[in-house]
Amino acid sequence: METLTSLLGAINGVVWGPVMLILLLGVGIYLQVGLKLMPIRKLGMGFKLMWGGRDAKPSVAKPTDKESDEGEISPFDALMTALSATIGTGNIAGVATAIALGGPGAVFWMWITALVGMATKFAEAVLAVRYRETDSTGYHVGGPMFYIKNGLGQKWLWLGGLFAFFGAVAAFGIGNTVQSNSVADAMDATFSIPHWLTGVVIMVLAGAVILGGIKRIAKVAGKLVPVMGIAYVVAGLLVLIINASQIGEAFSLIFYYAFNPMAAAGGFAGAAVMAAIRFGVARGIFSNEAGLGSAPIAHAAAKTKNPVRQGLIAMLGTFIDTIIVCTITALVILTSTVWQTGEQGASLTALSFDAALPGFGNQIVAVALAIFAFTTILGWSFYGEKCCQFLFGTRSIMLYRVLFVLAIPLGAIAQLGFIWLMADTFNAMMAIPNLIALALLSPVVFKLTKDYFDGKDVLPGEELDHDQ
């Protein structure tokens, strides 16, 4: 185990080094500039489309029969499925880890990652819908491996295969064992529930949903994600009302230490500016998954023929996850005094909530973590199976689902440090093929977007509100 940990640590240092930071931020900035800041300017339009996309049929005045048959789930449920995989331990444990290792300045770099990541997520979804296929069972499948294959051509097929391999393996880390491990830790610390029991319960509940495929996953996600997200934000806002006098100081810490090294204080070991950037970007990507290539796999199943419409909805995932949910967690932590005690992960977030809400603050975090992690497991099971399907065909799907479900209790009892390291490493390895494809296919994204907003690619009966 020590040898494997050392090997993964060495690989992690390379894939999360300067090259990765340049790739993630560079591609995101390039797309944001190429789109003329459209993802930020059209944020309101995105929310309007999301709300209108709650029905099973696309929200156009007179959709054709062919249009009605495109995709398996509503645009809203596609976003909720993507958010189910996105809003997870990264919003609770990941933010806390970024602050504990990179200092308050890491939060600023999480924000930057999210703002440029909105363009990345938009481009991913546009390409996913544009280049999706229908598999042998009649379901729509898409994502980076398909837009590499169909957009870049057969000579790039190896790159799509690499993404699919990394995605199928990474799903067991970021989308499975990390989640069950974090929940097991929280349940043990808060309610004294054994790790193995938590793992078995999650396995049974998740298995009942996962084995039913994308429609069942989307149905559960469409109900759970809005409720859990709003409840967590409300609890966080309650803490911030209690700690209102410290909010100004928290923002000062974030902006100052984004560009200045922080000295050791209390149990905090101190952090250089590079550490703030590294952990802010890494945990930001771990949380919102922009550039990772995971979310477009869900958006490819949306009932829509227009890639740009789904892209506008997809980019909301990054905004909701990081700018709203992660910021709430960060401010709760920084308005308390416990972040300098040396605590890390979910326990730091729990202590911060409990400092403002003694007696039940830690229970709020434990329950939120459990629900967040549960839905993340559901979403990532779909991502992983689609990657496996790309590599080995439709017949491999059920075997992958079974193995994925069986891995849940194993993650609950495993060593946390190794699991986080594995998840972090494969995250980056997934991102590299995807970012290369996004850069090469960016002209397609720019043209489709321009045509849409110029009114050249609007469906019959659909009116584009240019004032949004």
Side-chain angles (χ1 to χ4, degrees):
M1 179 61 75
E2 287 182 11
T3 304
L4 186 57
T5 301
S6 298
L7 177 62
L8 270 179
I11 296 173
N12 186 274
V14 174
V15 296
W16 275 120
V19 174
M20 174 54 69
L21 297 183
I22 292 169
L23 261 178
L24 282 168
L25 296 179
V27 170
I29 291 169
Y30 166 68
L31 291 170
Q32 193 69 270
V33 171
L35 291 166
K36 300 174 183 176
L37 303 183
M38 183 279 297
I40 296 173
R41 292 187 292 108
K42 299 292 184 181
L43 190 61
M45 185 179 184
F47 277 105
K48 182 179 178 181
L49 288 171
M50 177 193 74
W51 189 251
R54 289 170 294 141
D55 298 329
K57 292 181 181 179
S59 55
V60 295
K62 295 177 181 179
T64 63
D65 289 339
K66 183 179 179 182
E67 167 71 9
S68 299
D69 292 334
E70 292 282 334
E72 286 67 52
I73 57 179
S74 72
F76 176 83
D77 281 347
L79 175 62
M80 291 303 109
T81 301
L83 272 176
S84 73
T86 305
I87 299 181
T89 57
N91 298 81
I92 295 177
V95 175
T97 300
I99 293 172
L101 298 178
V107 179
F108 174 85
W109 295 106
M110 289 183 74
W111 291 340
I112 296 299
T113 303
L115 290 175
V116 300
M118 286 174 64
T120 308
K121 192 74 71 87
F122 170 83
E124 289 176 333
V126 167
L127 293 173
V129 175
R130 171 67 179 81
Y131 292 111
R132 66 185 175 180
E133 296 180 358
T134 303
D135 67 15
S136 59
T137 62
Y139 280 79
H140 286 77
V141 291
M145 55 282 200
F146 288 97
Y147 53 73
I148 289 172
K149 172 190 169 188
N150 298 325
L152 296 179
Q154 289 295 316
K155 65 179 180 180
W156 290 92
L157 188 60
W158 62 272
L159 191 67
L162 271 182
F163 174 87
F165 172 74
F166 293 143
V169 176
F172 282 92
I174 184 178
N176 187 322
T177 50
V178 161
Q179 308 298 329
S180 61
N181 193 286
S182 295
V183 176
D185 273 352
M187 291 293 139
D188 183 31
T190 307
F191 304 110
S192 299
I193 298 174
H195 282 62
W196 69 267
L197 181 57
T198 298
V200 170
V201 170
I202 298 174
M203 177 184 71
V204 172
L205 294 176
V209 180
I210 289 170
L211 297 178
I214 181 58
K215 290 187 178 180
R216 192 180 298 174
I217 291 171
K219 186 176 181 180
V220 173
K223 300 291 189 298
L224 266 182
V225 172
V227 172
M228 74 175 187
I230 292 170
Y232 182 76
V233 168
V234 168
L237 290 175
L238 178 59
V239 172
L240 293 181
I241 290 171
I242 295 171
N243 296 343
S245 62
Q246 300 298 317
I247 294 177
E249 176 65 18
F251 276 107
S252 295
L253 290 172
I254 291 170
F255 286 106
Y256 182 79
Y257 289 113
F259 305 98
N260 295 279
M262 185 171 185
F268 181 73
V273 174
M274 191 58 201
I277 297 173
R278 180 186 183 278
F279 288 107
V281 172
R283 292 292 171 239
I285 293 300
F286 182 87
S287 179
N288 64 49
E289 298 176 13
L292 218 60
S294 51
I297 298 174
H299 289 288
K303 284 179 177 283
T304 184
K305 283 180 70 177
N306 197 303
V308 176
R309 287 173 63 87
Q310 197 59 36
L312 288 164
I313 294 172
M315 71 186 190
L316 300 179
T318 300
F319 182 85
I320 293 169
D321 176 89
T322 306
I323 303 299
I324 296 177
V325 183
C326 283
T327 298
I328 293 288
T329 301
L331 291 176
V332 166
I333 292 170
L334 293 175
T335 54
S336 74
T337 57
V338 297
W339 69 273
Q340 294 186 5
T341 61
E343 287 287 345
Q344 293 185 26
S347 60
L348 173 55
T349 306
L351 285 172
S352 301
F353 268 85
D354 210 53
L357 303 170
F360 62 95
N362 62 333
Q363 295 177 12
I364 291 174
V365 173
V367 172
L369 189 66
I371 299 174
F372 283 3
F374 178 71
T375 56
T376 297
I377 289 170
L378 301 184
W380 267 91
S381 70
F382 179 68
Y383 297 163
E385 77 171 51
K386 292 298 129 186
C387 289
C388 186
Q389 180 184 355
F390 182 82
L391 293 171
F392 304 110
T394 307
R395 287 181 295 180
S396 66
I397 290 177
M398 188 54 69
L399 175 61
Y400 187 90
R401 289 177 185 173
V402 171
L403 291 175
F404 192 88
V405 171
L406 291 176
I408 294 171
L410 297 178
I413 60 175
Q415 181 186 350
L416 181 63
F418 176 76
I419 289 176
W420 272 100
L421 180 62
M422 181 181 74
D424 214 26
T425 303
F426 278 95
N427 269 6
M429 294 172 80
M430 275 181 72
I432 293 170
N434 182 51
L435 291 169
I436 292 170
L438 288 177
L440 293 175
L441 290 170
S442 58
V444 177
V445 177
F446 299 153
K447 184 180 187 305
L448 288 172
T449 305
K450 185 178 186 301
D451 287 349
Y452 181 76
F453 285 103
D454 286 347
K456 297 177 183 176
D457 189 25
V458 181
L459 298 173
E462 178 189 43
E463 294 181 358
L464 178 63
D465 184 356
H466 287 281
D467 296 326
Q468 284 289 331

